[in-house]
Structures are given as C-alpha cells and as structure tokens.
Amino acid sequence: MSLEKPSLEALVLRRAEEGSVLPRQQTGASPQRLLTTLLGEYWLDNTAALPMSGLIALLAEFGISETSARATANRLVKRGVLAAEKSGRQSYLRLSDEGREDSRQKTASIMRFGARSQEWDGVWTVAAFSVPEQERHVRHRVRSYLRWLGFAPLFDGLWVSAHADPGTLGPILRAAGVGNLTVLRATEAGGDSPLRAWDLDDVAASYRRFLADHRESLAQTEAGTVSPSEALVVRTRVFDAWRVFPGLDPSLPDELLPADWPRARARQVFTALYDGLAPLAALRFRQIVAAHDSGLAELTEQRTSEVWATY
C-alpha cells in the first residue's frame, strides 16, 4: 500500500509530463483497459506473474477472443504496463512497477470521487492561457487535464473551477507545453454566473442513465441471485461506468447544485454493487487462476471502496 495518498493533481501532472491524455468519456472497456482493471483490482500488490493462459481465460469472461487477448497483453508489455517472464514454453505476465503505481493512482482517484462534499469559500479559480493554432495536440491534452481537475471553459482560453488548487496549475500546464498562463482567484461581480460553463443537465442525465443501467443488477445483488461469473463481469463494468464521472462532473459545491442532484444516489448504487459483489468476483478470479496455476490462485486480492479510501 502506498504511504502517501496519490492526489488527482499528482496523477494529472504525471500525465502532463508524459505527454499523455487522461480518459474522459468512453463507451465500453477496451481490452487493454479491461485487463489492467482486472489486475489492478485482484492482483495489484502481487509481484508473482500470472500465466498467459490464465489472462486469456479472464478476458474470455468478457467475450474477448484468445487472439485479441494475446494481442492485448503484448501491447501492454510494449507500453511498459505489463512485465513478461518465461518458464519453459509458458509465458507469464504481471503489472510492471510503473503499471502497478499507475493503476493504484488512477483507481484510488476514481474510487474517492463523490465520496464526500467539499466546503466552498465562494471564490473561483480562473485559468487564462493561449496555445498557438499549430499546437492543437497541446490544446487537446490541456483540455483533458483541466476537465479532470474540475474546470470548464467559460470563454475560449478562459477556464473556471470552484475547487482547483491554483498552485497546481502552473506545473501541470507548463509540463503540457503551455507558455502563456495566468491563474486568478476571483469572486462574482456581475454578468452571467460561471455556472454557464457547465451543461449540468447533461451531467445529471448521465447520472440518471447510470442509475437506470444498473437498476436490475442492484436488485439481483440484493436478492443474492448473482453467480460468481456474473459478479466479476458486473463489478468490472460498473467500475468502468463510474470512472467517466471524474472527467464529466466538476464536483461543484452543493449550494450551487439543484436540490435533486443525482450524484449521491449514483454513488450509493456504485458502492453497493462494487462492495456487494466483491467476494463473488474475487472468487471467480481465483477460480479462473486456479484452473491454470492452483498455487497462485490463493494470492487473489479483494478490495472494497473503504479499503481504497485508505490509499
């Protein structure tokens, strides 16, 4: 377990220094993200490598073919996310040190999202910057980072947030390649409210779709009618659905939101499924690994939302 909680700002800064883009809204889990999610959930702190045949079987639970599974693992090795080992004719894979820490940081930030409300001092953080037209790739990255930090564009090149720490913005944007930057702390003094920067109706609709999509799974979980195989799939998919909200919902202060704001209810459903299905999902992971290496199966890990809150 990491001794220091990884902050969202630290994760964004790391991505900025790497020149990579944080995910925003994605539909469905890609095989690469799916495999890293599974290993991050049930094999995060293990340095033992899993047989390739076991990873293929894990991905088969989600309808991914053997050919695609092998290609997925190979791409993750090339990216440095997985480390490969060989024993005879059998290939073994595990999260690399970098892949393990990246998975830990991303999952912890996603799991903490929406867990508690933040107090607000009534002051907005404003970032004003410019990126040359010929550097569109920089603009794309910067927008991704700012949205994950809770910003939205009030005007072109002028972004606002209710909670962002102004001290974190300079290092992040400069690492991303922004040379012209000014950060302000400001209160409203007239004109349109900064709330116009967000489409809150769209965010609320996304939460309500999340609730509708998982209503049946929640009922089955509460009734105890979910099999281990179903638990592994549903738990992974509800996490994948929840992970879009840190890049979609700016976590505005409660006093600025409608009374019926659905984030809290969506968070309740997410944790009910994530925690409620954890034992069965871990059992299924263990069963699959045991079919390929019984000695490794007992190393399967299990974490709840409360455990992730300690990271």
Side-chain angles (χ1 to χ4, degrees):
M1 184 179 298
S2 183
L3 295 178
E4 182 178 351
K5 289 188 179 182
S7 67
L8 179 58
E9 291 79 5
L11 173 60
V12 176
L13 177 58
R14 179 177 175 182
R15 289 301 182 91
E17 291 171 341
E18 294 171 347
S20 56
V21 178
L22 286 157
R24 190 168 170 235
Q25 288 179 273
Q26 301 174 7
T27 302
S30 70
Q32 290 186 53
R33 194 168 80 238
L34 175 58
L35 183 53
T36 54
T37 295
L38 289 168
L39 294 177
E41 288 284 351
Y42 307 103
W43 210 255
L44 181 64
D45 290 329
N46 283 322
T47 56
L50 289 164
M52 172 71 85
S53 57
L55 299 183
I56 291 170
L58 279 169
L59 291 177
E61 294 282 287
F62 297 83
I64 295 175
S65 68
E66 178 178 347
T67 300
S68 180
R70 289 185 182 277
T72 295
N74 289 334
R75 290 188 187 105
L76 289 171
V77 170
K78 289 180 180 178
R79 287 175 51 198
V81 177
L82 296 184
E85 302 174 5
K86 201 82 171 177
S87 179
R89 299 180 62 183
Q90 177 70 281
S91 295
Y92 287 79
L93 297 136
R94 59 175 175 80
L95 286 169
S96 65
D97 291 343
E98 181 179 346
R100 181 179 298 110
E101 187 56 30
D102 189 57
S103 180
R104 192 192 315 277
Q105 286 194 357
K106 286 190 290 188
T107 304
S109 67
I110 291 166
M111 291 301 303
R112 288 198 294 267
F113 178 77
R116 59 182 59 86
S117 299
Q118 299 181 18
E119 293 184 1
W120 189 46
D121 59 5
V123 181
W124 297 89
T125 300
V126 182
F129 61 93
S130 63
V131 178
E133 180 65 24
Q134 63 269 26
E135 296 181 4
R136 293 183 181 180
H137 62 289
V138 173
R139 187 178 304 166
H140 177 55
R141 285 203 306 267
V142 168
R143 288 173 176 173
S144 175
Y145 305 151
L146 288 172
R147 289 191 185 280
W148 268 77
L149 293 170
F151 280 84
L154 186 57
F155 302 105
D156 187 29
L158 187 69
W159 291 59
V160 294
S161 170
H163 293 303
D165 177 2
T168 66
L169 287 178
I172 290 172
L173 268 63
R174 296 196 192 288
V178 175
N180 300 316
L181 168 68
T182 298
V183 181
L184 306 170
R185 292 277 284 160
T187 56
E188 294 181 49
D192 294 334
S193 169
L195 284 176
R196 66 188 292 274
W198 290 274
D199 187 344
L200 296 182
D201 290 340
D202 183 62
V203 178
S206 295
Y207 277 123
R208 294 189 177 102
R209 283 194 297 272
F210 176 91
L211 290 168
D213 290 346
H214 297 94
R215 185 179 297 118
E216 184 176 350
S217 294
L218 180 62
Q220 292 173 343
T221 300
E222 292 174 340
T225 59
V226 181
S227 70
S229 181
E230 291 169 336
L232 180 64
V233 172
V234 171
R235 187 173 189 257
T236 303
R237 286 180 174 165
V238 75
F239 174 77
D240 194 62
W242 184 254
R243 74 189 302 155
V244 307
F245 288 113
L248 181 66
D249 180 352
S251 292
L252 291 169
D254 290 343
E255 57 262 43
L256 298 178
L257 295 169
D260 60 347
W261 190 246
R263 183 201 301 133
R265 175 57 183 158
R267 168 83 188 182
Q268 289 173 356
V269 169
F270 166 63
T271 55
L273 286 169
Y274 185 86
D275 295 344
L277 294 173
L280 283 176
L283 171 62
R284 183 56 181 161
F285 188 98
R286 190 160 49 247
Q287 289 172 342
I288 293 171
V289 174
H292 300 269
D293 192 318
S294 58
L296 289 173
E298 296 309 310
L299 299 176
T300 299
E301 302 168 359
Q302 176 185 313
R303 292 174 178 81
T304 63
S305 57
E306 289 187 1
V307 172
W308 276 112
T310 66
Y311 275 71

